[in-house]
Amino acid sequence: MAMANFLALFLLMELIAGGYRDGANGLSMNYYVFSCPFAEPIVRNTVASALQSDPTLAAGLVRMHFHDCWIQGCDGSVLLDSTKNNTAEKESAGNLSVRGFELIDDVKGQLENQCPGVVSCADIVAMAATEAVASSGGPVYDIPKGRKDGRRSKIEDTFSAPAPSFNASELVRAFGQRGFSARDMVALSGAHTLGVARCSSFKNRLGDPTMDSDFSKTLSKTCSGGDNAEQPFDMTRNNFDNLYFQALQRNSGLLFSDQTLYSDPRTKSIADGYAKNQATFFLDFQHAMVKMSLLDVKEGSKGEVRSDCRRIN
């Protein structure tokens, strides 16, 4: 009887710890439930507190997760600093909009005090992004944990990332090569509901005769401040909502890669649907973000748990 009770308890603990388990990569929704039970509350509370002080940080954290996962998989490579012999990913022009490195350092420091060598930097980035979305009014969702940190971060690896100049066909192809459908791609593009872009990313749109005339004047005025002048993607830069897609309907997409979603029949109907129904956008977005968080996950000897997110062990 004692053995039966022990086995029953063991199986229950395995079920609790397993939660969601992906056989291909061993990730689990409750990966840290025993090894570092305060991991998720620490991330959640630290991010929420930071966003209360600076709501604009949400956009940077979401972009950090996307830029991390797209290059070499979700392995925290975007956090690594350059060294004397290597220029890291974070130095690329495409990563200028990524913010929150100090916040990740803060979270990592707290977690190292609680449970040294347990929680990876890659998981911290992924969890911080989910909290940034939720704290900004977006969908509340969970992601599996258990990623390991990578040991490679090279600026040349970022050259394959989707560019602001991509048209819909190029976007569909680029995302398709990573396993995403056109619907996934449009939903993920909706993350542009948060934050701003610099004039250098959208000045090629100036003079576009198809653009809304008032919006065109706004962009021209913004760019009079130089390449680093910033323009929000939509009217609520700190709120996660569907106004980004409504802007596309008005021909007021900020980047060429934004407005192109409304000029291709494969993506236009999806964008229309999200503009009309925010709940549908939220549901598809969280599905696509969970999918993204599983890109090329490293496990075992292929990765490590850094003690300092800016440096390999």
Side-chain angles (χ1 to χ4, degrees), residues 2-312:
M3 178 60 70
N5 289 339
F6 172 80
L7 288 174
L9 179 60
F10 175 79
L11 290 172
L12 177 62
M13 291 174 69
E14 279 294 287
L15 180 62
I16 294 172
Y20 171 101
R21 194 176 297 277
D22 187 309
N25 54 38
L27 302 190
S28 165
M29 287 292 190
N30 299 309
Y31 187 86
Y32 297 113
V33 70
F34 295 122
S35 60
C36 194
F38 295 108
E40 292 184 57
I42 286 175
V43 175
R44 186 165 53 249
N45 294 336
T46 305
V47 172
S49 176
L51 292 181
Q52 282 187 335
S53 300
D54 181 9
T56 68
L57 191 57
L61 291 173
V62 175
R63 285 165 180 53
M64 178 185 288
H65 180 47
F66 176 84
H67 290 208
D68 182 39
C69 292
W70 193 269
I71 309 300
Q72 302 293 319
C74 308
D75 64 352
S77 57
V78 74
L79 303 173
L80 289 170
D81 284 342
S82 296
T83 64
K84 184 174 66 173
N85 300 315
N86 180 64
T87 304
E89 292 174 27
K90 64 169 56 171
E91 305 296 336
S92 74
N95 281 330
L96 291 176
S97 60
V98 175
R99 296 174 54 217
F101 295 107
E102 295 78 10
L103 174 60
I104 301 301
D105 291 339
D106 181 11
V107 172
K108 181 61 173 174
Q110 294 180 59
L111 291 173
E112 285 298 298
N113 287 332
Q114 287 279 339
C115 31
V118 174
V119 183
S120 69
C121 301
D123 271 351
I124 294 172
V125 170
M127 288 188 282
T130 64
E131 181 57 37
V133 170
S135 292
S136 302
V140 177
Y141 63 98
D142 197 8
I143 53 168
K145 273 76 68 178
R147 299 161 191 77
K148 291 295 189 291
D149 297 321
R151 302 183 179 92
R152 173 190 174 97
S153 182
K154 292 183 176 296
I155 191 171
E156 54 265 32
D157 291 339
T158 67
F159 300 159
S160 64
S165 59
F166 273 21
N167 61 33
S169 293
E170 291 171 315
L171 289 170
V172 169
R173 186 183 311 114
F175 278 79
Q177 289 172 347
R178 304 308 302 272
F180 295 100
S181 66
R183 192 173 191 86
D184 292 332
M185 181 271 289
V186 177
L188 289 170
S189 297
H192 280 176
T193 185
L194 295 175
V196 301
R198 299 186 180 192
C199 177
S200 56
S201 297
F202 60 80
K203 62 183 180 181
N204 62 322
R205 295 264 288 137
L206 300 180
D208 183 347
T210 65
M211 187 188 300
D212 175 82
S213 58
D214 289 338
F215 188 61
S216 179
K217 293 174 184 175
T218 298
L219 296 193
S220 295
K221 182 177 180 181
T222 297
C223 284
S224 67
D227 278 359
N228 290 328
E230 296 177 337
Q231 175 69 31
F233 283 95
D234 65 29
M235 294 182 292
T236 55
R237 61 175 289 182
N238 298 325
N239 296 341
F240 196 98
D241 50 36
N242 66 341
L243 294 193
Y244 164 81
F245 295 105
Q246 294 177 16
L248 302 187
Q249 292 180 316
R250 299 191 305 273
N251 291 318
S252 299
L254 184 55
L255 305 179
F256 179 82
S257 58
D258 293 322
Q259 193 59 50
T260 189
L261 300 179
Y262 208 68
S263 62
D264 189 296
R266 289 173 295 179
T267 53
K268 182 178 184 294
S269 60
I270 302 170
D272 267 334
Y274 293 158
K276 295 172 184 175
N277 192 324
Q278 182 169 276
T280 300
F281 164 48
F282 279 15
L283 186 64
D284 287 353
F285 179 81
Q286 65 189 57
H287 169 79
M289 283 293 278
V290 171
K291 196 172 179 178
M292 170 164 290
S293 77
L294 300 175
L295 280 180
D296 301 328
V297 168
K298 294 174 176 61
E299 57 179 333
S301 61
K302 294 182 179 179
E304 63 184 14
V305 176
R306 294 182 211 136
S307 57
D308 180 342
C309 288
R310 295 174 181 263
R311 299 170 182 80
I312 61 174

